[in-house]
Amino acid sequence: MSDLSGKPISFWIDSTSTTNFSSLTNSVAVDVAIIGGGIAGLTAATLLKRAGKTVAVIESNRVITGVSGHTTAKVTSLHQLIYADLIKQVGEKKAQLYAESNQAAIERVAKFVEEEQIDCDFSRKSAYSFTESFDDLQQIKDEVEAAVKLGLPASFVQKTTLPFAIAGAVKFDNQAQFHVRKYLLHLAKRIPDNGSYVFENTRVQKIEEGEPCQVITDRETVRARDVIVATNLPILDQGLFFAKAYPKRSYIIAARIDPAKAPEGMFIGIGQNYQSIRTTPYQDGLLLLIGGEGHKVGTVSDTEERYLRLEAYARDRFGVDSFEYRWSTQDMYSFDKLPYIGKLTPFNHHIYVATGFSLWGMTKGTISGMLLKDLILGIENPWAELYDATRATPFVTPTSLKENVDVGVHWVGDRLKGLGTSVSQVANGQGKLVTVDSKQIAAYRDEQGTLHVVSAVCPHLGCIVNWNSAEKSWDCPCHGSRFSYDGKVIHGPSVKDLEKSAN
Ligand SMILES: Cc1cc2nc3c(=O)[nH]c(=O)nc-3n(C[C@H](O)[C@H](O)[C@H](O)COP(=O)(O)OP(=O)(O)OC[C@H]3O[C@@H](n4cnc5c(N)ncnc54)[C@H](O)[C@@H]3O)c2cc1C
Ligand code: FES
């Protein structure tokens, strides 16, 4: 077994109480049904309810236990490096809208906190994107120049409170961080009342557009004039969002740190192999969070290695030696770096989506709520065109081609990769794909020796799942669905479990 340390649960979840909203036991009618109780869904629900609409948030699990319950929770418009590229890609005017909308989202969060006196460790911090390599310094300088041009609070610095030298960093002033669950639990608790609801443990399986729309769940039906699908990746295949974005999984570890030695601010490295760093209040001191080691979902089996590498980094750079928590989650990366927020397809009049936050959903999930509220109320919003979910997407870029080829390879190649072993070869604590009677079986033997076998075919679009050793889950490399070791769906887009299989 692994030497992983720390509780395998998100600090945000472990440090707050579990919610207890009831499931949908009778059909109801509301103005807006919102599928998914993460930051996008709960922000939209809050704003629509404030605007006088009745809403029903429908959550398959417990609210804020999806990606939003596992984030790093930096609330910033500094998204590693984006502005110099964005100006080249979409022009200065649109890049400006991106900058403004993300800044507006920070202020929206701050205003909720202030108006409702939300006790969520909200604090203003500077955000930094840094490099340790002088070879990358020009990228940093270009980003500062682009950000300043767009009116962002950016500057170039070469000294920070990190306990190691850097070559340079982009610094944004007056950004923010918070305890994401304390913030969102407050919003969630304010929703039920006066014809509005939050339903938990209720999985949406189908949505039929009409007047009203029918939201069909594994229990009863919700009728609504408008529907927002805020399930991270839309559970509906129309709109092809599974092909316009890809799921990326990353890891976080948390260690107690002496406040005198803790860095002040929120930090992220640039490039592919970066670390994301922040602190948060913890008991009578501080917890240091370090995230990173990202990869496409379902492409890595030895996920324990990822945590060990983060631990080594934390020891080496921050001198911490015992770890309190470790957890992991995934988000949808959009190929053009912009989220998709708006109508599901040009043919849908009442179904809306919000996805493709590319690991910056604290602001982009908030933007989604602000923008979708306006679209549903028929209010003009300057960000609508930029984030239009039906916009033509530049599919043919080197990145999108590679990612789609990867998906295709899994779809076709996976069918051929039966390992020819029998379930008797699966050791205790091990998960393995095996071929039995020419069927691909996902087999896991628990520590007590009990065998759990399910079909390895993902019910979403038929790819073959892959074992994730640290999480003890079956992860789909195609569009990121994840299933427990015994096949229960724990992350969409799949709305179904892996089929039970006889061994
Ligand atoms: C490691 C990591 C660190 C990150 N750190 C940051 C950060 O510091 N700052 C930042 O801005 N962003 C960060 N992000 C990104 C951010 O956390 C996400 O973009 C954001 O939380 C996504 O919110 P969401 O509402 O789309 O999804 P979720 O929070 O996942 O909400 C979707 C909900 O829909 C539910 N659902 C799914 N299917 C169904 C169904 N069929 N029926 C009913 N309900 C369903 C799910 O259970 C879930 O609760 C990070 C992401 C990762 C992976
Ligand atoms: S998530 Fe789409 S095929 Fe598995």
Side-chain angles (χ1 to χ4, degrees), residues 39 208 249 306:
I39 191 162
E208 288 169 2
R249 199 155 184 85
R306 306 277 157 158

Side-chain angles (χ1 to χ4, degrees), residues 418-419 421 423 426 431-444 451-457 464-465 474 499-503:
L419 299 175
T421 49
V423 288
V426 182
K432 242 182 168 173
L433 293 175
V434 294
T435 305
V436 176
D437 297 337
S438 29
K439 288 198 181 120
Q440 298 236 285
I441 303 295
Y444 167 65
L451 189 66
H452 305 267
V453 285
V454 285
S455 164
V457 180
I464 298 298
V465 295
W474 295 106
E499 269 178 27
K500 290 276 171 227
S501 185
N503 53 359

Side-chain angles (χ1 to χ4, degrees), residues 35-41 58-76 79 202-205 230-232 235 248-252 276 329-331 354 357-364 490-492 494-495:
I35 328 295
I39 191 162
I58 310 164
E59 165 58 50
S60 56
N61 193 341
R62 294 280 176 201
V63 293
I64 329 152
T65 56
V67 187
S68 304
H70 292 84
T71 174
T72 333
K74 299 171 175 174
V75 189
T76 177
H79 299 163
T202 304
R203 183 169 291 280
V204 173
Q205 292 182 319
T231 50
N232 196 238
I235 51 167
K248 190 168 172 191
R249 199 155 184 85
S250 321
Y251 300 80
I252 299 174
S276 172
T329 189
Q330 66 199 51
D331 200 16
F357 300 154
S358 309
L359 270 77
W360 295 106
M362 296 297 103
T363 50
K364 293 180 200 172
I490 46 179
H491 195 104
S494 179
V495 293

Side-chain angles (χ1 to χ4, degrees), residues 232-233 240-248 296 331-336 338 340 355-358 393 395 403-404 407 478-479:
N232 196 238
L233 175 61
L240 300 177
F241 294 100
F242 61 80
K244 296 186 202 171
Y246 65 94
K248 190 168 172 191
K296 269 190 79 185
D331 200 16
M332 296 305 297
Y333 243 82
S334 83
F335 291 120
D336 64 2
L338 300 170
Y340 296 98
T355 189
F357 300 154
S358 309
T393 314
F395 273 99
E403 300 302 343
N404 277 313
V407 168
C478 285
H479 316 111

Side-chain angles (χ1 to χ4, degrees), residues 180-470:
V180 63
R181 258 180 72 89
K182 287 186 184 172
Y183 169 76
L184 288 175
L185 282 171
H186 179 97
L187 298 190
K189 282 180 186 151
R190 307 265 302 187
I191 291 167
D193 195 6
N194 287 329
S196 290
Y197 311 87
V198 175
F199 298 114
E200 293 188 322
N201 291 325
T202 304
R203 183 169 291 280
V204 173
Q205 292 182 319
K206 221 162 106 185
I207 302 166
E208 288 169 2
E209 167 129 6
E211 311 238 345
C213 300
Q214 307 278 334
V215 179
I216 298 151
T217 78
D218 54 358
R219 295 166 183 274
E220 296 290 337
T221 298
V222 174
R223 289 187 308 284
R225 182 177 182 277
D226 295 292
V227 180
I228 294 176
V229 184
T231 50
N232 196 238
L233 175 61
I235 51 167
L236 305 175
D237 290 336
Q238 303 103 302
L240 300 177
F241 294 100
F242 61 80
K244 296 186 202 171
Y246 65 94
K248 190 168 172 191
R249 199 155 184 85
S250 321
Y251 300 80
I252 299 174
I253 54 160
R256 188 192 282 275
I257 187 167
D258 177 352
K261 293 186 182 151
E264 174 58 35
M266 309 178 292
F267 300 86
I268 192 160
I270 65 167
Q272 286 300 315
N273 300 317
Y274 60 86
Q275 282 81 25
S276 172
I277 300 160
R278 68 164 279 194
T279 57
T280 191
Y282 179 60
Q283 297 171 355
D284 52 356
L286 285 178
L287 202 57
L288 172 72
L289 309 188
I290 300 185
E293 294 293 332
H295 60 79
K296 269 190 79 185
V297 175
T299 57
V300 171
S301 279
D302 187 3
T303 46
E304 298 174 348
E305 182 65 34
R306 306 277 157 158
Y307 287 114
L308 294 176
R309 287 213 286 261
L310 282 179
E311 285 187 9
Y313 178 88
R315 280 195 189 95
D316 182 41
R317 298 306 180 90
F318 292 91
V320 292
D321 57 6
S322 81
F323 297 90
E324 307 286 318
Y325 293 96
R326 64 182 160 87
W327 70 89
S328 139
T329 189
Q330 66 199 51
D331 200 16
M332 296 305 297
Y333 243 82
S334 83
F335 291 120
D336 64 2
K337 298 188 180 160
L338 300 170
Y340 296 98
I341 309 168
K343 296 251 170 81
L344 172 67
T345 73
F347 311 105
N348 291 100
H349 302 295
H350 295 289
I351 305 182
Y352 299 82
V353 292
T355 189
F357 300 154
S358 309
L359 270 77
W360 295 106
M362 296 297 103
T363 50
K364 293 180 200 172
T366 305
I367 292 172
S368 304
M370 297 163 83
L371 176 51
L372 293 178
K373 185 265 291 170
D374 282 355
L375 293 180
I376 286 172
L377 296 180
I379 299 170
E380 240 180 75
N381 184 306
W383 313 329
E385 192 194 333
L386 179 66
Y387 297 138
D388 181 0
T390 66
R391 69 182 178 268
T393 314
F395 273 99
V396 191
T397 65
T399 326
S400 69
L401 273 178
K402 182 179 176 316
E403 300 302 343
N404 277 313
V405 166
D406 280 357
V407 168
V409 166
H410 280 293
W411 209 85
V412 181
D414 281 347
R415 251 137 249 291
L416 311 173
K417 87 176 175 203
L419 299 175
T421 49
S422 106
V423 288
S424 60
Q425 289 170 288
V426 182
N428 286 10
Q430 199 181 37
K432 242 182 168 173
L433 293 175
V434 294
T435 305
V436 176
D437 297 337
S438 29
K439 288 198 181 120
Q440 298 236 285
I441 303 295
Y444 167 65
R445 196 181 295 281
D446 62 29
E447 298 297 344
Q448 287 68 44
T450 307
L451 189 66
H452 305 267
V453 285
V454 285
S455 164
V457 180
C458 174
H460 178 226
L461 290 177
C463 290
I464 298 298
V465 295
N466 200 14
W467 182 239
N468 172 341
S469 61

